[in-house]
mmCIF file of all heavy atoms in Angstrom:
data_model
loop_
_atom_site.group_PDB
_atom_site.id
_atom_site.type_symbol
_atom_site.label_atom_id
_atom_site.label_comp_id
_atom_site.label_asym_id
_atom_site.label_seq_id
_atom_site.Cartn_x
_atom_site.Cartn_y
_atom_site.Cartn_z
ATOM 1 N N ALA A 201 -63.358 16.155 20.148
ATOM 2 C CA ALA A 201 -62.458 17.046 19.497
ATOM 3 C C ALA A 201 -63.160 18.095 18.676
ATOM 4 O O ALA A 201 -62.781 19.229 18.651
ATOM 5 C CB ALA A 201 -61.397 16.259 18.728
ATOM 6 N N ASN A 202 -64.155 17.590 18.054
ATOM 7 C CA ASN A 202 -64.979 18.554 17.163
ATOM 8 C C ASN A 202 -65.751 19.649 18.048
ATOM 9 O O ASN A 202 -65.658 20.817 17.847
ATOM 10 C CB ASN A 202 -65.991 17.773 16.376
ATOM 11 C CG ASN A 202 -66.968 18.712 15.698
ATOM 12 O OD1 ASN A 202 -68.079 18.900 16.181
ATOM 13 N ND2 ASN A 202 -66.575 19.324 14.563
ATOM 14 N N LEU A 203 -66.361 19.159 19.142
ATOM 15 C CA LEU A 203 -67.062 20.048 19.985
ATOM 16 C C LEU A 203 -66.054 21.047 20.748
ATOM 17 O O LEU A 203 -66.433 22.185 20.994
ATOM 18 C CB LEU A 203 -67.794 19.332 21.038
ATOM 19 C CG LEU A 203 -68.977 18.489 20.531
ATOM 20 C CD1 LEU A 203 -69.645 17.648 21.591
ATOM 21 C CD2 LEU A 203 -69.991 19.319 19.819
ATOM 22 N N ALA A 204 -64.856 20.573 20.996
ATOM 23 C CA ALA A 204 -63.902 21.399 21.722
ATOM 24 C C ALA A 204 -63.216 22.433 20.668
ATOM 25 O O ALA A 204 -62.421 23.258 21.118
ATOM 26 C CB ALA A 204 -62.773 20.530 22.312
ATOM 27 N N GLY A 205 -63.561 22.345 19.394
ATOM 28 C CA GLY A 205 -63.037 23.234 18.361
ATOM 29 C C GLY A 205 -61.746 22.766 17.700
ATOM 30 O O GLY A 205 -61.116 23.609 17.039
ATOM 31 N N LEU A 206 -61.290 21.590 17.930
ATOM 32 C CA LEU A 206 -59.965 21.125 17.336
ATOM 33 C C LEU A 206 -60.159 21.058 15.841
ATOM 34 O O LEU A 206 -59.180 21.348 15.134
ATOM 35 C CB LEU A 206 -59.632 19.728 17.928
ATOM 36 C CG LEU A 206 -58.330 19.195 17.539
ATOM 37 C CD1 LEU A 206 -57.266 20.036 18.231
ATOM 38 C CD2 LEU A 206 -58.129 17.807 18.002
ATOM 39 N N PHE A 207 -61.341 20.664 15.324
ATOM 40 C CA PHE A 207 -61.585 20.713 13.870
ATOM 41 C C PHE A 207 -63.083 20.788 13.639
ATOM 42 O O PHE A 207 -63.823 20.737 14.596
ATOM 43 C CB PHE A 207 -61.026 19.390 13.300
ATOM 44 C CG PHE A 207 -61.815 18.214 13.534
ATOM 45 C CD1 PHE A 207 -62.581 17.650 12.537
ATOM 46 C CD2 PHE A 207 -61.893 17.564 14.723
ATOM 47 C CE1 PHE A 207 -63.471 16.572 12.791
ATOM 48 C CE2 PHE A 207 -62.665 16.434 15.055
ATOM 49 C CZ PHE A 207 -63.421 15.943 14.105
ATOM 50 N N GLU A 208 -63.430 20.943 12.429
ATOM 51 C CA GLU A 208 -64.860 21.052 12.077
ATOM 52 C C GLU A 208 -65.354 19.878 11.352
ATOM 53 O O GLU A 208 -64.672 19.236 10.537
ATOM 54 C CB GLU A 208 -65.137 22.277 11.031
ATOM 55 C CG GLU A 208 -64.841 23.673 11.728
ATOM 56 C CD GLU A 208 -65.679 23.923 12.997
ATOM 57 O OE1 GLU A 208 -66.837 23.509 12.913
ATOM 58 O OE2 GLU A 208 -65.171 24.510 13.884
ATOM 59 N N LEU A 209 -66.544 19.433 11.802
ATOM 60 C CA LEU A 209 -67.195 18.196 11.188
ATOM 61 C C LEU A 209 -68.611 18.706 10.731
ATOM 62 O O LEU A 209 -69.396 18.963 11.483
ATOM 63 C CB LEU A 209 -67.273 17.118 12.231
ATOM 64 C CG LEU A 209 -67.957 15.778 11.733
ATOM 65 C CD1 LEU A 209 -66.984 15.085 10.744
ATOM 66 C CD2 LEU A 209 -68.141 14.767 12.916
ATOM 67 N N PRO A 210 -68.756 18.604 9.389
ATOM 68 C CA PRO A 210 -70.116 19.146 8.846
ATOM 69 C C PRO A 210 -71.267 18.482 9.476
ATOM 70 O O PRO A 210 -72.367 19.059 9.662
ATOM 71 C CB PRO A 210 -69.966 18.892 7.350
ATOM 72 C CG PRO A 210 -68.450 18.817 7.091
ATOM 73 C CD PRO A 210 -67.868 18.256 8.317
ATOM 74 N N ALA A 211 -71.186 17.234 9.850
ATOM 75 C CA ALA A 211 -72.365 16.514 10.346
ATOM 76 C C ALA A 211 -72.944 17.086 11.669
ATOM 77 O O ALA A 211 -74.074 16.951 11.939
ATOM 78 C CB ALA A 211 -72.153 15.008 10.496
ATOM 79 N N VAL A 212 -72.076 17.733 12.427
ATOM 80 C CA VAL A 212 -72.581 18.343 13.658
ATOM 81 C C VAL A 212 -72.207 19.817 13.634
ATOM 82 O O VAL A 212 -72.056 20.471 14.715
ATOM 83 C CB VAL A 212 -71.833 17.682 14.928
ATOM 84 C CG1 VAL A 212 -72.389 16.287 15.085
ATOM 85 C CG2 VAL A 212 -70.336 17.747 14.764
ATOM 86 N N SER A 213 -72.156 20.504 12.481
ATOM 87 C CA SER A 213 -71.901 21.839 12.401
ATOM 88 C C SER A 213 -72.965 22.679 12.946
ATOM 89 O O SER A 213 -74.148 22.357 12.886
ATOM 90 C CB SER A 213 -71.632 22.262 10.894
ATOM 91 O OG SER A 213 -71.617 23.585 10.814
ATOM 92 N N ILE A 214 -72.667 23.853 13.572
ATOM 93 C CA ILE A 214 -73.722 24.751 14.147
ATOM 94 C C ILE A 214 -73.838 26.016 13.335
ATOM 95 O O ILE A 214 -74.379 26.947 13.793
ATOM 96 C CB ILE A 214 -73.543 25.061 15.630
ATOM 97 C CG1 ILE A 214 -72.171 25.708 15.760
ATOM 98 C CG2 ILE A 214 -73.449 23.829 16.435
ATOM 99 C CD1 ILE A 214 -71.995 26.293 17.183
ATOM 100 N N THR A 215 -73.130 25.998 12.136
ATOM 101 C CA THR A 215 -73.224 27.153 11.268
ATOM 102 C C THR A 215 -74.608 27.296 10.605
ATOM 103 O O THR A 215 -75.378 26.297 10.638
ATOM 104 C CB THR A 215 -72.166 27.108 10.260
ATOM 105 O OG1 THR A 215 -72.335 26.046 9.507
ATOM 106 C CG2 THR A 215 -70.739 27.053 10.918
ATOM 107 N N ARG A 216 -74.805 28.381 9.945
ATOM 108 C CA ARG A 216 -76.174 28.610 9.307
ATOM 109 C C ARG A 216 -76.303 27.816 8.084
ATOM 110 O O ARG A 216 -77.460 27.739 7.556
ATOM 111 C CB ARG A 216 -76.292 30.099 9.047
ATOM 112 C CG ARG A 216 -76.465 30.965 10.322
ATOM 113 C CD ARG A 216 -76.456 32.466 9.964
ATOM 114 N NE ARG A 216 -76.582 33.257 11.160
ATOM 115 C CZ ARG A 216 -77.687 33.636 11.787
ATOM 116 N NH1 ARG A 216 -78.873 33.270 11.243
ATOM 117 N NH2 ARG A 216 -77.632 34.363 12.796
ATOM 118 N N ASP A 217 -75.327 27.259 7.543
ATOM 119 C CA ASP A 217 -75.465 26.482 6.271
ATOM 120 C C ASP A 217 -75.621 24.963 6.496
ATOM 121 O O ASP A 217 -75.225 24.187 5.719
ATOM 122 C CB ASP A 217 -74.295 26.732 5.312
ATOM 123 C CG ASP A 217 -72.968 26.339 5.908
ATOM 124 O OD1 ASP A 217 -72.975 26.040 7.173
ATOM 125 O OD2 ASP A 217 -71.881 26.414 5.211
ATOM 126 N N GLY A 218 -76.084 24.519 7.697
ATOM 127 C CA GLY A 218 -76.313 23.167 7.909
ATOM 128 C C GLY A 218 -77.251 22.546 6.976
ATOM 129 O O GLY A 218 -78.263 23.208 6.585
ATOM 130 N N LYS A 219 -77.057 21.320 6.632
ATOM 131 C CA LYS A 219 -77.861 20.649 5.636
ATOM 132 C C LYS A 219 -78.581 19.420 6.318
ATOM 133 O O LYS A 219 -78.164 18.995 7.352
ATOM 134 C CB LYS A 219 -77.021 20.158 4.504
ATOM 135 C CG LYS A 219 -76.345 21.302 3.673
ATOM 136 C CD LYS A 219 -75.558 20.736 2.491
ATOM 137 C CE LYS A 219 -75.186 21.810 1.500
ATOM 138 N NZ LYS A 219 -74.137 22.596 2.079
ATOM 139 N N PRO A 220 -79.681 18.988 5.657
ATOM 140 C CA PRO A 220 -80.375 17.857 6.308
ATOM 141 C C PRO A 220 -79.476 16.602 6.407
ATOM 142 O O PRO A 220 -79.710 15.773 7.342
ATOM 143 C CB PRO A 220 -81.560 17.613 5.324
ATOM 144 C CG PRO A 220 -81.742 18.895 4.639
ATOM 145 C CD PRO A 220 -80.443 19.574 4.557
ATOM 146 N N GLY A 221 -78.506 16.488 5.638
ATOM 147 C CA GLY A 221 -77.583 15.371 5.726
ATOM 148 C C GLY A 221 -76.905 15.308 7.055
ATOM 149 O O GLY A 221 -76.669 14.262 7.642
ATOM 150 N N GLY A 222 -76.569 16.518 7.582
ATOM 151 C CA GLY A 222 -75.962 16.591 8.918
ATOM 152 C C GLY A 222 -76.890 16.057 9.958
ATOM 153 O O GLY A 222 -76.451 15.323 10.859
ATOM 154 N N ALA A 223 -78.178 16.475 9.904
ATOM 155 C CA ALA A 223 -79.105 16.038 10.909
ATOM 156 C C ALA A 223 -79.324 14.519 10.816
ATOM 157 O O ALA A 223 -79.474 13.788 11.782
ATOM 158 C CB ALA A 223 -80.420 16.840 10.749
ATOM 159 N N PHE A 224 -79.378 14.048 9.586
ATOM 160 C CA PHE A 224 -79.504 12.574 9.348
ATOM 161 C C PHE A 224 -78.416 11.762 9.881
ATOM 162 O O PHE A 224 -78.639 10.810 10.658
ATOM 163 C CB PHE A 224 -79.723 12.291 7.822
ATOM 164 C CG PHE A 224 -79.895 10.840 7.495
ATOM 165 C CD1 PHE A 224 -81.118 10.280 7.561
ATOM 166 C CD2 PHE A 224 -78.844 10.048 7.094
ATOM 167 C CE1 PHE A 224 -81.356 8.962 7.318
ATOM 168 C CE2 PHE A 224 -78.999 8.706 6.790
ATOM 169 C CZ PHE A 224 -80.248 8.196 6.842
ATOM 170 N N ALA A 225 -77.184 12.302 9.742
ATOM 171 C CA ALA A 225 -76.017 11.535 10.329
ATOM 172 C C ALA A 225 -76.056 11.585 11.887
ATOM 173 O O ALA A 225 -75.682 10.637 12.508
ATOM 174 C CB ALA A 225 -74.684 12.149 9.804
ATOM 175 N N THR A 226 -76.532 12.809 12.394
ATOM 176 C CA THR A 226 -76.589 12.872 13.871
ATOM 177 C C THR A 226 -77.600 11.951 14.362
ATOM 178 O O THR A 226 -77.415 11.349 15.410
ATOM 179 C CB THR A 226 -76.959 14.409 14.215
ATOM 180 O OG1 THR A 226 -76.022 15.262 13.692
ATOM 181 C CG2 THR A 226 -76.936 14.537 15.732
ATOM 182 N N GLY A 227 -78.724 11.747 13.671
ATOM 183 C CA GLY A 227 -79.731 10.791 14.098
ATOM 184 C C GLY A 227 -79.225 9.394 14.126
ATOM 185 O O GLY A 227 -79.494 8.641 15.028
ATOM 186 N N LEU A 228 -78.491 9.041 12.987
ATOM 187 C CA LEU A 228 -77.808 7.672 12.970
ATOM 188 C C LEU A 228 -76.975 7.467 14.184
ATOM 189 O O LEU A 228 -76.998 6.439 14.843
ATOM 190 C CB LEU A 228 -77.048 7.477 11.739
ATOM 191 C CG LEU A 228 -77.816 7.346 10.339
ATOM 192 C CD1 LEU A 228 -76.836 7.387 9.260
ATOM 193 C CD2 LEU A 228 -78.551 6.048 10.379
ATOM 194 N N LEU A 229 -76.153 8.505 14.527
ATOM 195 C CA LEU A 229 -75.173 8.384 15.580
ATOM 196 C C LEU A 229 -75.920 8.271 16.921
ATOM 197 O O LEU A 229 -75.561 7.480 17.809
ATOM 198 C CB LEU A 229 -74.188 9.552 15.570
ATOM 199 C CG LEU A 229 -73.179 9.705 16.712
ATOM 200 C CD1 LEU A 229 -72.319 8.477 16.617
ATOM 201 C CD2 LEU A 229 -72.434 10.960 16.599
ATOM 202 N N ALA A 230 -76.912 9.043 17.066
ATOM 203 C CA ALA A 230 -77.709 9.181 18.327
ATOM 204 C C ALA A 230 -78.227 7.761 18.651
ATOM 205 O O ALA A 230 -78.151 7.292 19.807
ATOM 206 C CB ALA A 230 -78.690 10.207 18.289
ATOM 207 N N ALA A 231 -78.925 7.144 17.641
ATOM 208 C CA ALA A 231 -79.516 5.840 17.910
ATOM 209 C C ALA A 231 -78.471 4.758 18.150
ATOM 210 O O ALA A 231 -78.691 3.924 19.012
ATOM 211 C CB ALA A 231 -80.354 5.545 16.688
ATOM 212 N N PHE A 232 -77.377 4.803 17.424
ATOM 213 C CA PHE A 232 -76.429 3.755 17.659
ATOM 214 C C PHE A 232 -75.657 3.852 19.002
ATOM 215 O O PHE A 232 -75.574 2.817 19.659
ATOM 216 C CB PHE A 232 -75.374 3.901 16.622
ATOM 217 C CG PHE A 232 -74.325 2.742 16.554
ATOM 218 C CD1 PHE A 232 -74.745 1.495 16.113
ATOM 219 C CD2 PHE A 232 -73.049 2.917 16.971
ATOM 220 C CE1 PHE A 232 -73.833 0.406 16.122
ATOM 221 C CE2 PHE A 232 -72.146 1.923 16.926
ATOM 222 C CZ PHE A 232 -72.559 0.632 16.492
ATOM 223 N N VAL A 233 -75.473 5.016 19.453
ATOM 224 C CA VAL A 233 -74.732 5.114 20.791
ATOM 225 C C VAL A 233 -75.804 5.156 21.921
ATOM 226 O O VAL A 233 -75.431 4.762 23.046
ATOM 227 C CB VAL A 233 -73.894 6.422 20.758
ATOM 228 C CG1 VAL A 233 -73.153 6.627 22.021
ATOM 229 C CG2 VAL A 233 -72.884 6.485 19.596
ATOM 230 N N ALA A 234 -77.010 5.592 21.671
ATOM 231 C CA ALA A 234 -77.894 5.864 22.787
ATOM 232 C C ALA A 234 -78.805 4.672 23.148
ATOM 233 O O ALA A 234 -79.657 4.846 23.978
ATOM 234 C CB ALA A 234 -78.789 7.015 22.442
ATOM 235 N N THR A 235 -78.591 3.514 22.532
ATOM 236 C CA THR A 235 -79.514 2.433 22.845
ATOM 237 C C THR A 235 -78.769 1.184 23.448
ATOM 238 O O THR A 235 -79.200 0.041 23.185
ATOM 239 C CB THR A 235 -80.290 2.045 21.579
ATOM 240 O OG1 THR A 235 -79.312 1.750 20.493
ATOM 241 C CG2 THR A 235 -81.279 3.152 21.085
ATOM 242 N N PRO A 236 -77.806 1.385 24.267
ATOM 243 C CA PRO A 236 -77.235 0.189 24.943
ATOM 244 C C PRO A 236 -78.118 -0.401 26.030
ATOM 245 O O PRO A 236 -77.964 -1.562 26.404
ATOM 246 C CB PRO A 236 -75.924 0.609 25.461
ATOM 247 C CG PRO A 236 -76.070 2.108 25.708
ATOM 248 C CD PRO A 236 -76.992 2.551 24.599
ATOM 249 N N CYS A 237 -78.975 0.497 26.533
ATOM 250 C CA CYS A 237 -79.816 -0.016 27.716
ATOM 251 C C CYS A 237 -81.322 0.117 27.343
ATOM 252 O O CYS A 237 -81.662 0.882 26.394
ATOM 253 C CB CYS A 237 -79.518 0.789 28.902
ATOM 254 S SG CYS A 237 -77.897 0.633 29.596
ATOM 255 N N THR A 238 -82.044 -0.577 27.987
ATOM 256 C CA THR A 238 -83.533 -0.559 27.840
ATOM 257 C C THR A 238 -84.159 0.221 29.037
ATOM 258 O O THR A 238 -83.737 0.070 30.059
ATOM 259 C CB THR A 238 -84.144 -1.990 27.795
ATOM 260 O OG1 THR A 238 -83.772 -2.709 28.956
ATOM 261 C CG2 THR A 238 -83.718 -2.737 26.505
ATOM 262 N N GLY A 239 -85.114 1.026 28.642
ATOM 263 C CA GLY A 239 -85.745 1.853 29.720
ATOM 264 C C GLY A 239 -87.153 1.413 29.873
ATOM 265 O O GLY A 239 -87.574 0.317 29.378
ATOM 266 N N PRO A 240 -87.881 2.037 30.774
ATOM 267 C CA PRO A 240 -89.289 1.719 31.042
ATOM 268 C C PRO A 240 -90.142 1.716 29.767
ATOM 269 O O PRO A 240 -89.888 2.430 28.856
ATOM 270 C CB PRO A 240 -89.830 2.791 31.947
ATOM 271 C CG PRO A 240 -88.491 3.392 32.654
ATOM 272 C CD PRO A 240 -87.398 3.200 31.594
ATOM 273 N N PHE A 241 -91.061 0.720 29.725
ATOM 274 C CA PHE A 241 -91.991 0.420 28.592
ATOM 275 C C PHE A 241 -91.230 -0.201 27.407
ATOM 276 O O PHE A 241 -91.814 -1.024 26.679
ATOM 277 C CB PHE A 241 -92.566 1.786 27.998
ATOM 278 C CG PHE A 241 -93.403 2.484 29.117
ATOM 279 C CD1 PHE A 241 -92.915 3.658 29.590
ATOM 280 C CD2 PHE A 241 -94.705 2.007 29.454
ATOM 281 C CE1 PHE A 241 -93.725 4.258 30.563
ATOM 282 C CE2 PHE A 241 -95.382 2.652 30.372
ATOM 283 C CZ PHE A 241 -94.930 3.781 30.944
ATOM 284 N N MET A 242 -89.867 0.110 27.283
ATOM 285 C CA MET A 242 -89.265 -0.398 26.143
ATOM 286 C C MET A 242 -88.873 -1.904 26.308
ATOM 287 O O MET A 242 -88.814 -2.664 25.309
ATOM 288 C CB MET A 242 -87.876 0.386 25.913
ATOM 289 C CG MET A 242 -86.978 -0.110 24.867
ATOM 290 S SD MET A 242 -85.471 0.999 24.831
ATOM 291 C CE MET A 242 -84.471 -0.122 23.834
ATOM 292 N N ALA A 243 -88.632 -2.356 27.538
ATOM 293 C CA ALA A 243 -88.162 -3.710 27.738
ATOM 294 C C ALA A 243 -89.176 -4.750 27.259
ATOM 295 O O ALA A 243 -88.782 -5.704 26.499
ATOM 296 C CB ALA A 243 -87.942 -3.979 29.220
ATOM 297 N N ALA A 244 -90.504 -4.620 27.491
ATOM 298 C CA ALA A 244 -91.473 -5.613 26.998
ATOM 299 C C ALA A 244 -91.503 -5.562 25.547
ATOM 300 O O ALA A 244 -91.590 -6.739 24.936
ATOM 301 C CB ALA A 244 -92.812 -5.281 27.605
#
C-alpha cells in the first residue's frame, strides 16, 4: 500500500529528507523477510 501511494511510511520514504533510521529499518525488514531459504555457500 505504501509503494502504491496509499499512504506514506518514513522508513521507506524516497524523499530527500530520508534519515539513517529509515535505512536501518529497511535493513531489518530485508533480513527478516529475505532469509527463509538457504542459498549456495550459505547452507554449510
Side-chain angles (χ1 to χ4, degrees):
N202 170 260
L203 294 175
L206 189 66
F207 76 105
E208 293 299 326
L209 182 66
V212 291
S213 172
I214 61 171
T215 60
R216 293 176 179 271
D217 58 352
K219 295 183 173 68
F224 180 81
T226 303
L228 288 172
L229 177 64
F232 187 69
V233 180
T235 53
C237 297
T238 52
F241 301 104
M242 178 182 165

